[in-house]
Each structure stands twice: as structure tokens, then as C-alpha cells.
Amino acid sequence: MTLKNSIEFLDLKAINNRFEPQLSQTILDVVQSGRYLKGEQTAGFEKEFAAYIGTRHCIGLGNGTNALEIIFRAYLELGILKKNDEVLVPANTFFASFLAVINQGLVPVPIEPNLPTFLLKTTGIAKAISPRTKAMVMVHLYGRNAYHENIHALLKANGILLIEDNAQAVGSRYLDKKSGSLGDAAAHSFYPAKNLGAMGDAGAITTDQDQLAETCRALANYGSITSYEYQYAGTNSKMDEIQAAILRVKLPYLDEDNARRNQIALKYLTQIKHPKIQLPLPANPLQTLQHTWHLFTVLVADRQNLMNYLKKFGVEAAIHYPTPPHQQPAFKASFPGKALPLTERIHRETLSLPLNQALTEKELAFIIDHINHW
Ligand SMILES: Cc1ncc(COP(=O)(O)O)c(C=O)c1O
């Protein structure tokens, strides 16, 4: 089989083209409105996104990292968390999940994931709980919903807050509830490559807790509740009107896009047959959109060889991520000599195959065919 063009890992232009001409028109409308921050687009998106997720509140922010940081900061300001409290975090995650905890003077406690879900299990979480544990970051990694009632019951029984890091899984569900509505508060990212991607940085917090929402909103607005009076030494993190307008065009299509991602993932899962490639666990077929397949990650000991081989045929694969948070130079002081063998193995062997709603059937067949011939 041959293909004229190369297959990019993520062709954002093709993904966003689908929303034309509405996208260009909505940007033009904002340009001509003269209102670029704190206007009707952001307010509209906050309302629509809260309704989509199923929470009372949504606060639009500059990015997902700020969303996580501001949640922790708000709990500190409210006296619900204290500096040096321990926060359980999956060891296998993106750097920002750790960063938000460390930047707020809290102590991340990394927990090894389970294969092949790449997520945490109740037993692993139970072992990591200490009297100082006050919160947990539940990362719906690669798009797979990580929630389970048993985990939540364990956390509740120990007075531990459940904070969802929903950066990779916007639209994923646990039964009839969406990620972002399952715990005490959730952080979302609309980084352009995310399933609901803006055209620049953007993020949001969702929660049902009124006081937390008010505090987060103030903290994102320099610490101000009423104009020019500052209750907290906050920060500045706003979703801008252009990003909000873009997200409002795309949000109504998110479920359809995620369903298409599930179809592609199923093809990979049923048609890739190679003894050296370990595939991820399929999504539960009885559970609608349990997984949003933000990333389709396989484990392969000789990943560089597979990557180079695919590249020869014009197929771009990617690594998410090459080095785990506990081994990053920035966190050297936090985890001296810490060994997390499973997480380290995942980072050594993980390879993400192209998976997005712009991928054609022909491209998909081409990728699968070449992988099987590796
Ligand atoms: C798991 C996870 N957490 C947090 C973030 C941070 O989001 P942002 O890039 O919008 O700051 C990202 C993505 O970038 C992520 O993948």
C-alpha cells in the first residue's frame, strides 16, 4: 500500500478546518467587538461548559496548569489544606500534575500505575495513604476515565480531597457522569492538541462547591472579589474572549469527535498484531465514552527502531513522555534516589501512534499494515 503524503502525528490544521467557516467568523466577531477579556464569550463558555460537565460552576482560565494550581491554592486559603500536606499523584503522568502540587508548597506522593490501564488501583492508593495525606490528583491519563466508587469511598473515609486532572480526558464518562464532575474539583486544559483544543492556551476549573468556586475566581483575578480590592495575593489567569469563542464553536462536536477516536482505537486494538507490541486495554464496550483516546500508547522495548521504521514510510509517532516527573532535574531535591520501576519502564517503552478525528480510513489502514510488517 502507498500513500501520497506523510501522516503527521497531529494535524491541527485539518482538525480545525472541519469547523470552518464558523471558526474564522467567530474570531472576526471578537476582533470587531472590541471586548477581548471578561466578556460575553467567556461567560457563555463557562455556562455551556459547566452544563456539559454537569457542575454548578466553571471558571475559565489561562491554562490547565493554572487550573490545578489555583484549586490547591484555594483550598490552602480556605484552610482546608495546609502547607506540607501530602497529595497522592500517579507517578506516570505529565510533569504539570506534579508541578501544581509542588508550587503550592504541598508534597506529592507518587504512586505506581497498573498495566495495561496505566491508571491507579484502589490497593495501590490505600498503601500510599498516611496521616498527612489530604488530597489526591486523579489523572484521567491518555483519556481513560480513572474514577471508581471504591477509590472515592477510600478517599472519603480518610478525609482526602479528590481533585481531577482532566487535561487529557474532556468528555470521558464514568457511568452517566462526566470526568470533571466526579470529585471535589477538576482542572481542564484546552491546549491546542487536546481533544477540545483552543488556538492558544486556555483552561478551566469545574466544581459544585460554591465557596471554592468563588475563591478560585478571585485567585485568578489577582486575588480580587470586588474591583480593586484584593482579598488574596492571587495571580492573573484569564481565558480570553477569542479562545472562549473558539471553544464554543467546538464544544458541541466534542462527543462526536471522541466517538470517532474510539472507532479508530478499536481498529488499532483489533488489527495490530505484533508479538513485540503491547497494546493498551480496550475501553469497556458497555460504558459509553469511558475513554476519549487522547493518546493511543503502546509499549515496545525497541521503540526507537519502530519509530524510525514508521518514519521511513512517512508516519510520525510521538513519545508521551520520555522522562517521568520524579526523574526531572527540576524535582531532583524532592525524590532523591526514588525508584518507580513500572513508571520508568513505561517512560522507556511508550510510543503514541497517530490517533485523531482527522485521520482517514486509508491512513489508518496504512499505519496498521506497516506496523504489522515491522
Ligand atoms: C495530564 C496533564 N495535566 C496538566 C496539563 C497542563 O495543561 P496546560 O498545558 O493547559 O497548562 C496537561 C497538558 O498539557 C496534561 O496533559
Side-chain angles (χ1 to χ4, degrees):
M1 193 190 299
T2 53
L3 210 68
K4 261 207 310 265
N5 300 315
S6 57
I7 303 172
E8 285 177 46
F9 179 71
L10 189 62
D11 184 352
L12 285 179
K13 197 171 155 205
I15 287 174
N16 285 324
N17 260 342
R18 151 151 192 245
F19 303 101
E20 291 293 22
Q22 291 94 323
L23 269 186
S24 293
Q25 187 57 51
T26 202
I27 293 169
L28 193 65
D29 290 347
V30 176
V31 170
Q32 291 179 348
S33 75
R35 181 95 192 204
Y36 307 120
L37 286 168
K38 298 206 260 186
E40 65 182 42
Q41 293 295 348
T42 309
F45 175 74
E46 287 177 339
K47 208 163 146 227
E48 287 153 19
F49 194 64
Y52 174 81
I53 295 292
T55 52
R56 271 214 298 283
H57 305 281
C58 167
I59 300 125
L61 299 170
N63 58 68
T65 307
N66 285 170
L68 266 183
E69 284 173 342
I70 288 171
I71 291 169
F72 284 118
R73 178 75 195 279
Y75 277 124
L76 286 162
E77 292 291 351
L78 293 170
I80 292 167
L81 291 179
K82 288 189 310 305
K83 294 274 176 195
N84 294 316
D85 280 348
E86 289 181 357
V87 179
L88 309 177
V89 187
N92 181 44
T93 184
F94 179 60
F95 182 72
S97 315
F98 276 64
L99 187 64
V101 174
I102 288 184
N103 277 350
Q104 295 306 318
L106 300 162
V107 180
V109 176
I111 304 176
E112 286 270 62
N114 276 80
L115 285 178
T117 62
F118 298 97
L119 302 178
L120 303 188
K121 267 194 155 166
T122 320
T123 41
I125 296 167
K127 275 193 227 143
I129 292 175
S130 86
R132 285 173 56 203
T133 311
K134 300 293 179 226
M136 168 168 154
V137 182
M138 176 178 277
V139 185
H140 303 295
L141 196 71
Y142 312 143
R144 184 186 296 272
N145 197 302
Y147 184 87
H148 196 279
E149 287 125 358
N150 293 349
I151 296 179
H152 205 173
L154 174 71
L155 298 179
K156 280 184 181 161
N158 287 278
I160 297 170
L161 296 167
L162 173 54
I163 316 293
E164 294 174 81
D165 178 341
N166 197 34
Q168 301 192 357
V170 180
S172 87
R173 298 187 204 170
Y174 178 79
L175 304 177
D176 57 345
K177 291 190 85 184
K178 298 227 176 69
S179 53
S181 71
L182 297 164
D184 292 283
H188 309 263
S189 166
F190 309 116
Y191 177 80
K194 295 294 194 262
N195 291 27
L196 178 61
M199 291 181 158
D201 274 322
I205 292 169
T206 51
T207 182
D208 275 333
Q209 297 176 7
D210 300 343
Q211 208 188 3
L212 180 78
E214 181 180 287
T215 311
C216 288
R217 196 174 281 288
L219 284 167
N221 186 34
Y222 314 97
S224 164
I225 295 176
T226 35
S227 254
Y228 299 115
E229 272 183 44
Y230 303 94
Q231 194 104 356
Y232 311 106
T235 185
N236 175 19
S237 182
K238 299 184 191 87
M239 178 180 286
D240 68 63
E241 286 285 284
I242 289 182
Q243 302 312 329
I246 290 166
L247 293 171
R248 290 181 85 187
V249 170
K250 295 175 78 171
L251 180 61
Y253 301 93
L254 179 61
D255 285 353
E256 198 180 307
D257 283 352
N258 283 337
R260 172 69 188 138
R261 285 173 173 269
N262 271 271
Q263 285 173 349
I264 297 172
L266 200 59
K267 287 223 162 139
Y268 274 148
L269 288 163
T270 50
Q271 295 179 16
I272 294 178
K273 293 191 192 307
H274 197 293
K276 287 187 174 169
I277 296 175
Q278 188 176 333
L279 297 169
L281 190 74
N284 180 350
L286 302 176
Q287 160 76 74
T288 313
L289 293 181
Q290 177 202 32
H291 207 316
T292 63
W293 295 102
H294 174 61
L295 293 172
F296 188 92
T297 59
V298 300
L299 292 181
V300 44
D302 197 358
R303 83 172 155 201
Q304 197 55 51
N305 188 296
L306 177 57
M307 239 180 140
N308 294 346
Y309 171 86
L310 289 173
K311 203 168 166 197
K312 264 202 328 222
F313 296 99
V315 177
E316 188 185 14
I319 298 172
H320 300 94
Y321 302 94
T323 309
H326 73 282
Q327 292 184 327
Q328 293 291 345
F331 296 156
K332 220 189 268 159
S334 304
F335 309 101
K338 179 99 187 158
L340 294 160
L342 192 51
T343 295
E344 289 158 23
R345 180 190 153 206
I346 293 169
H347 283 72
R348 261 194 324 272
E349 298 187 2
T350 188
L351 189 68
S352 308
L353 304 181
L355 193 163
N356 61 76
Q357 58 275 27
L359 210 62
T360 65
E361 287 295 328
K362 202 169 162 198
E363 288 172 330
L364 192 57
F366 182 86
I367 297 168
I368 293 168
D369 190 42
H370 281 88
I371 288 178
N372 286 341
H373 283 96
W374 173 50

